[in-house]
């Protein structure tokens, strides 16, 4: 059986955060690292905590860093760098007030842009419609920002979900950064063809477009798809776009969950991963799947 792999591991925002933390660590460690919505075995900070050998081979400075799960314990003189999820404004202000030295904020620029765009639109008087999933962190943040400005926030999960109707208040459409890019495009097409008076701002990240496009290409070629599912919104979107073109997509968290029976009659398998799954894990699973056909 031929095994295809997507040549993508960590996304742009995660790679940037690791690279910049490493650069700073080599120059001025020790310091602590933290970000919101952290935790779980796939979290970028958990990998630092675990001192993962493959990660340290690429970014040796990370072994000098400590991971902080609760930043409320930090105080005067503590030195902190924020990871790719950053921290909300109130928490950063509270850290500054307590004398914590925030050395760098490595929030992904796409996440920062979505929050900034939603805030600007809400201040301009727009209700927000966001293509994504209701329980996603970025959609919840968008809703919170809209609430703070007295605006409504609608989450559009499927292409055929009804569009919010006007009732005199202007509406703007954005996308969860890691949302389903195909659904986003279809919703935008519907808005344009129906001439609905909805302002569109494209906020899904470039990694989502390229990761989902690559995944679909592989899913179209392969008989079976194994998705290394990190539990995040990006992996959910990859699953959704692949499931549109291949009905043998299996989501696993590790190679131990893979069942040989899934490959019965298959000539090609594809291995793909979420944004929190490094390239070496994808390759490790691919090597394992190859042994199943020997
Ligand atoms: S998936 Fe996109 S938005 Fe999220 S961290 Fe990566 S590059 Fe940034």
């Amino acid at each position: 059986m031929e095994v295809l792999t997507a040549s993508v591991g960590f996304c742009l925002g995660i790679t940037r955060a690791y690279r910049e933390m490493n650069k700073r660590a080599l120059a001025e460690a020790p310091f602590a690292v933290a970000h919101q919505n952290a935790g779980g075995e796939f979290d970028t900070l958990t990998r630092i905590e675990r001192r993962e050998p493959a990660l340290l081979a690429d970014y040796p400075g990370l072994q000098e860093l400590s991971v902080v799960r609760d930043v409320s314990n930090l105080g005067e003189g503590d030195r902190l760098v924020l990871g790719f999820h950053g921290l909300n404004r109130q928490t950063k202000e509270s850290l500054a007030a307590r004398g914590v030295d925030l050395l760098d904020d490595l929030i992904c620029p796409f996440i920062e842009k979505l929050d900034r765009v939603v805030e600007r639109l809400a201040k301009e008087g727009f209700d927000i419609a966001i293509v994504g999933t209701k329980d996603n962190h970025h959609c919840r943040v968008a809703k919170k920002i809209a609430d703070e400005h007295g605006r409504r926030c609608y989450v559009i999960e499927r292409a055929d979900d009804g569009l919010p109707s006007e009732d005199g208040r202007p509406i703007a459409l954005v996308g969860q950064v890691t949302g389903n890019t195909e659904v986003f495009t279809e919703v935008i097409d519907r808005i344009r063809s129906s001439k609905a008076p909805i302002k569109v701002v494209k906020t899904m990240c470039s990694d989502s477009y390229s990761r989902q496009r690559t995944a679909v290409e592989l899913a179209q070629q392969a008989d079976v798809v194994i998705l290394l599912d990190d539990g995040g919104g990006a992996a959910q979107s990859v699953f959704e776009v692949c499931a549109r073109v291949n009905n043998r997509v299996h989501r696993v968290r590790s190679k131990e969950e893979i069942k040989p029976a899934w490959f019965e009659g298959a000539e090609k398998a594809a291995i793909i991963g979420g944004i929190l799954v490094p390239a070496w894990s994808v390759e490790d699973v691919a090597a394992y799947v190859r042994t199943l056909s020997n």
Side-chain angles (χ1 to χ4, degrees):
M1 181 171 59
E2 189 181 351
V3 180
L4 313 168
T5 55
S7 60
V8 278
F10 293 134
C11 70
L12 306 171
I14 290 173
T15 302
R16 169 180 172 270
Y18 275 144
R19 188 186 62 233
E20 295 305 312
M21 281 177 188
N22 180 59
K23 215 189 289 176
R24 186 174 289 272
L26 293 175
E28 53 176 297
F31 53 83
V33 288
H35 63 190
Q36 61 189 331
N37 202 28
E41 60 175 316
F42 289 94
D43 177 43
T44 55
L45 303 188
T46 305
R47 292 184 189 280
I48 296 176
E49 235 167 11
R50 276 202 302 256
R51 303 291 191 247
E52 252 182 44
L55 181 69
L56 296 181
D58 286 347
Y59 307 107
L62 299 184
Q63 62 195 322
E64 307 299 329
L65 306 185
S66 54
V67 173
V68 175
R69 296 293 179 190
D70 183 1
V71 294
S72 66
N73 294 327
L74 297 177
E76 184 71 37
D78 284 328
R79 305 164 79 232
L80 181 66
V81 168
L82 303 184
F84 81 101
H85 260 162
L87 285 176
N88 64 42
R89 187 185 309 141
Q90 293 90 330
T91 307
K92 286 196 285 184
E93 285 169 0
S94 159
L95 288 169
R98 297 202 308 276
V100 175
D101 186 4
L102 185 57
L103 302 174
D104 204 354
D105 182 352
L106 297 171
I107 187 171
C108 171
F110 291 102
I111 297 174
E112 199 269 331
K113 177 187 165 187
L114 171 61
D115 296 350
R116 187 166 24 88
V117 164
V118 170
E119 179 151 42
R120 175 174 53 78
L121 291 166
K123 275 183 181 163
E124 288 172 6
F126 287 92
D127 283 342
I128 306 296
I130 182 165
V131 174
T133 50
K134 289 192 175 78
D135 59 353
N136 181 268
H137 165 75
H138 304 295
C139 290
R140 290 201 310 266
V141 172
K143 180 165 185 342
K144 183 167 177 285
I145 296 171
D147 284 349
E148 284 167 1
H149 292 85
R151 308 292 166 213
R152 288 177 289 208
C153 182
Y154 311 87
V155 179
I156 298 177
E157 297 196 316
R158 290 180 304 275
D160 56 1
D161 277 357
L163 295 171
S165 57
E166 256 196 301
D167 82 354
R169 299 164 65 133
I171 298 164
L173 180 90
V174 297
Q176 169 196 318
V177 277
T178 53
N180 182 324
T181 57
E182 294 186 358
V183 169
F184 194 35
T185 302
E186 288 158 9
V187 172
I188 292 171
D189 288 348
R190 263 176 64 210
I191 288 171
R192 296 211 165 124
S193 62
S194 68
K195 298 200 172 16
I198 296 177
K199 180 185 176 80
V200 174
V201 186
K202 293 187 175 177
T203 54
M204 286 193 182
C205 80
S206 59
D207 186 276
S208 293
Y209 283 96
S210 59
R211 186 176 300 264
Q212 290 171 35
R213 193 169 48 240
T214 302
V216 167
E217 282 165 12
L218 292 184
Q220 284 170 327
Q221 295 172 49
D223 303 299
V224 180
V225 178
I226 303 296
L227 168 61
L228 277 165
D229 187 351
D230 52 34
Q236 172 64 25
S237 295
V238 167
F239 172 74
E240 288 173 8
V241 294
C242 287
R244 284 179 163 201
V245 297
N246 190 313
N247 58 13
R248 292 171 74 181
V249 184
H250 300 277
R251 309 163 81 156
V252 298
R253 292 180 74 81
S254 70
K255 64 185 176 192
E256 285 72 29
E257 294 178 10
I258 295 173
K259 298 195 174 13
W262 292 345
F263 304 97
E264 236 161 69
E267 290 179 2
K268 274 187 195 172
I271 317 296
I272 55 184
I275 61 165
L276 298 165
V277 177
W280 61 80
S281 291
V282 175
E283 288 308 326
D284 183 48
V285 170
Y288 174 71
V289 171
R290 283 187 192 102
T291 67
L292 298 179
S293 58
N294 289 338

